[in-house]
Amino acid sequence: QVQVVESGGGLVPAGGSVRLSCTASNLILDTSNMGWFRQSPGKEREAVACISRTGKVTYYADSVKGRFTVSRDHADNMVYLQMNNLQPDDTAMYYCAVEPSLRLGSCSASGKEAWGRGAQVTVSS
């Protein structure tokens, strides 16, 4: 069973930055598309940013384009989400997903992912 672990997050003022990190067991991260999703109370989980196995294809939700950057480090078996200019609407639990459905221009949950437990990001106004 794949174990996915997120780290980072916390409380940050509007306009601030946070970096989330994700790693997975069994080195599966190295051969998988990866995604960051978020969910806030009363809302559905949404894809925020995804990255292909090679890192050559990325996806960003319109709401985060220009502010968030997804990257991966194969040597360290890590995936990152750098979030800049955070706004109160970015407040959510952020989840790392192994093997979301990533296509050119879209990313979504396939129902076959392995998920982490999430990292809370709270942006104060």
Side-chain angles (χ1 to χ4, degrees):
Q1 185 174 357
V2 176
Q3 291 185 329
V4 183
V5 179
E6 304 95 340
S7 60
L11 177 63
V12 61
S17 297
V18 165
R19 188 177 81 159
L20 301 180
S21 302
C22 172
T23 190
S25 61
N26 301 326
L27 297 179
I28 192 172
L29 187 148
D30 195 43
T31 59
S32 301
N33 293 332
M34 298 295 297
W36 288 97
F37 291 68
R38 69 184 179 187
Q39 187 170 22
S40 53
K43 295 185 178 180
E44 293 186 357
R45 189 174 297 189
E46 62 172 347
V48 175
C50 300
I51 187 167
S52 65
R53 297 174 184 84
T54 63
K56 292 182 179 180
V57 177
T58 57
Y59 162 86
Y60 294 96
D62 287 343
S63 58
V64 307
K65 283 181 180 176
R67 301 188 298 123
F68 290 14
T69 303
V70 60
S71 61
R72 63 191 308 158
D73 185 331
H74 288 279
D76 291 340
N77 196 41
M78 298 289 289
V79 173
Y80 303 100
L81 182 66
Q82 178 66 43
M83 303 185 290
N84 298 328
N85 191 23
L86 283 161
Q87 300 300 314
D89 284 348
D90 295 316
T91 295
M93 186 72 79
Y94 284 74
Y95 298 90
C96 180
V98 178
E99 208 59 68
S101 177
L102 174 61
R103 301 288 185 269
L104 197 61
S106 70
C107 185
S108 61
S110 66
K112 300 178 181 178
E113 298 89 351
W115 296 92
R117 292 188 175 184
Q120 178 67 38
V121 174
T122 302
V123 184
S124 61
S125 58

